[in-house]
Each structure stands twice: as C-alpha cells, then as structure tokens.
Amino acid sequence: MRIVVLVSGSGTNLQAVIDAVKAGELDVEIAAVGSDVPGCLGLKRAADAGIATFTVPPADYASRPEWNRALQAAVAGYAPDLVLLAGFMRILDAEFVAAFDGRMVNTHPALLPSFPGAHGVRDALRHGVKVTGVTVHLVDSGVDTGPILAQAAVPVLESDTEEELHERIKVEERKLLVETLRKLSS
Ligand code: GRF
C-alpha cells in the first residue's frame, strides 16, 4: 500500500508510522510527505528518514480553490493508494475529497462525533467530559464526519491542562493509527 502523508506540525504521528515501517511492523510504502507549512518539523522528520517531501503553502496561491487543486495535483503525482492526514490542519475541499474518495484517512484527538474541528482537546476539556480519546476515520466532505475506522478512549484527569491531555491522547493516537494502517494494508 503506497501512502502519501500530509502534516502541518510536529509530525509525531508521522514518526510513529515511519518507525513502524522501518521496524518491519507495517507493510506500507511512504511515497511522500507533504505540508502546507514550510519548514514544519513533520517535513524534517520525513527528510531525515529519506522520504520525498513537498510543500504547498496557501500563501503562494491567489485563492483557496487554486491551493486545493495544487495540493491535489502534488499528492496525485505520487499515485497513492491511500492519503493519510496526520495532523494536517486545513480543510480540503469537496473536489479534493472526491479525488481520493474512500482512500483518505484522518486522525482526530477526540471521540467523534463529539468535539470535531481544530480544537477537539480544548473543547472536550471545557465541556467537562471525563473520558475523551482519539478517532481514526475516513474523510468525507464534512469536517471530521466520515465513517469511523477505530477509536481509543483516554480518561480526563482533574488536573489536566489542554497540553497534558493532548500529549496523553497522542500516545494512544500513534498506536491506533499504526494499528489501523496495518489493518487497511492487509
Ligand atoms: C494530533 O493529535 C492530530 O490528531 C491533531 O494534531 C496532532 C498532530 O500531532 N489534529 P503530530 O503533528 O502528529 O505530532
């Protein structure tokens, strides 16, 4: 299974996938890693692992549809079987989603359908839930609304800050993501 991974930030989920592939625990080929954020740590992790990288920053395009099309073309250029959004923090338009329909996976740091969007950890904490977690799901044209592939629960502690809770979620997220990719690849 050939995958292209899109990242916007620190790329620890990407690193978990890279490590699992290197360890022979995951039979996928990471064809390339792309980002909307030039110089982000996720791109550096990919480059350090000898993986091809590309950057498509929205600021380089006159409109959002043009940026979407450019990113879509860059991803399609690697002919992936699957596109993985691993901490990719921008919404892709319907055309992009349709191009990879049923072949695009996202990871979200909350138990969907609760707390979708960019602040799933903060929103769960503010709501006062006692259990939150992580969801790996297929991407559809909504925001974090696609069919759920896997979930893991994480207890919320009384003392939790957003950062502390997110870090504990990410420990489970990395495991669940690798496990889900393993199932998809087989
Ligand atoms: C993950 O929790 C992801 O679900 C969220 O942002 C975080 C990215 O972490 N959208 P990283 O870049 O993989 O370290």
Side-chain angles (χ1 to χ4, degrees):
M1 187 169 77
R2 245 172 102 76
I3 69 171
V4 167
V5 187
L6 296 180
V7 297
S8 298
S10 63
T12 62
N13 281 285
L14 165 68
Q15 189 68 57
V17 176
I18 292 172
D19 292 347
V21 171
K22 279 204 172 142
E25 293 160 4
L26 180 59
D27 187 20
V28 310
E29 179 197 346
I30 307 172
V33 173
S35 184
D36 56 324
V37 181
C40 73
L41 185 51
L43 285 173
K44 187 177 178 311
R45 290 177 190 273
D48 287 350
I51 299 166
T53 63
F54 60 92
T55 311
V56 185
D60 288 0
Y61 297 86
S63 69
R64 221 180 151 80
E66 281 177 59
W67 170 75
N68 257 277
R69 273 196 292 277
L71 184 64
Q72 186 183 322
V75 172
Y78 289 96
D81 299 308
L82 188 124
V83 180
L84 172 63
L85 309 182
F88 185 70
M89 299 307 286
R90 282 181 195 274
I91 292 165
L92 299 166
D93 69 13
E95 201 184 307
F96 191 114
V97 174
F100 301 102
D101 189 31
R103 297 187 294 130
M104 188 145 63
V105 168
N106 182 44
T107 173
H108 180 75
L111 291 176
L112 294 172
S114 293
F115 312 116
H119 304 291
V121 179
R122 185 187 309 171
D123 294 344
L125 202 53
R126 284 193 181 155
H127 195 91
V129 295
K130 304 304 175 202
V131 177
T132 183
V134 54
T135 303
V136 178
H137 66 98
L138 290 175
V139 178
D140 67 8
S141 56
V143 176
D144 300 326
T145 53
I148 291 170
L149 297 173
Q151 291 186 307
V154 175
V156 180
L157 306 181
E158 287 283 336
S159 60
D160 265 341
T161 62
E162 182 182 345
E163 290 70 29
E164 287 165 345
L165 178 56
H166 199 171
E167 279 312 312
R168 285 209 320 288
I169 290 171
K170 284 174 71 170
V171 171
E172 298 307 318
E173 186 172 27
R174 293 189 278 263
K175 288 190 251 177
L176 192 70
L177 182 59
V178 169
E179 187 52 39
T180 306
L181 286 174
R182 192 180 293 132
K183 284 183 183 154
L184 288 171
S185 70
S186 67

